[in-house]
Amino acid sequence: MRQIKATLINHKVRKGYTLIELLVALAAASILCASALQLYGRFHHLTLHFIKDYQRESSELIQQMHRAIPYSKSRGETIKRKNPRP
């Protein structure tokens, strides 16, 4: 019985992680974060490119519509009605 108690006292129960395990986890997390940020950067650049194209095409269509309306003199002019709605 004394021998069992002596072995239990000598072998402490370990709680937590070792420094190497924490460093490996940190390295894996940093690699994943770096790849995710790079992917997000590409996505953001592509989105800005599509927005620029959309704005350009929309402004061209608006200009074409303004040219097609015969009673519009200027771009910002609104049509005044004779009988305004209440």
Side-chain angles (χ1 to χ4, degrees):
M1 189 75 160
R2 281 183 143 184
Q3 199 173 24
I4 294 173
K5 287 183 181 178
T7 57
L8 288 177
I9 293 172
N10 290 339
H11 296 289
K12 295 180 181 178
V13 178
R14 293 185 183 176
K15 294 181 181 178
Y17 299 103
T18 63
L19 182 61
I20 299 297
E21 290 172 335
L22 292 173
L23 288 175
V24 168
L26 182 65
S30 64
I31 290 170
L32 288 174
C33 286
S35 62
L37 285 174
Q38 188 176 23
L39 183 65
Y40 175 75
R42 289 180 186 169
F43 173 74
H44 185 67
H45 179 70
L46 185 63
T47 303
L48 290 177
H49 178 69
F50 283 141
I51 288 173
K52 188 184 295 183
D53 287 346
Y54 175 75
Q55 288 176 344
R56 182 180 46 80
E57 290 173 4
S58 297
S59 66
E60 289 174 2
L61 287 173
I62 290 171
Q63 288 175 0
Q64 288 175 3
M65 289 190 320
H66 278 292
R67 280 187 242 125
I69 299 174
Y71 48 82
S72 175
K73 293 182 181 177
S74 66
R75 189 172 184 178
E77 184 178 316
T78 59
I79 300 170
K80 296 181 182 178
R81 297 181 181 195
K82 292 181 180 179
N83 297 325
R85 293 182 185 169

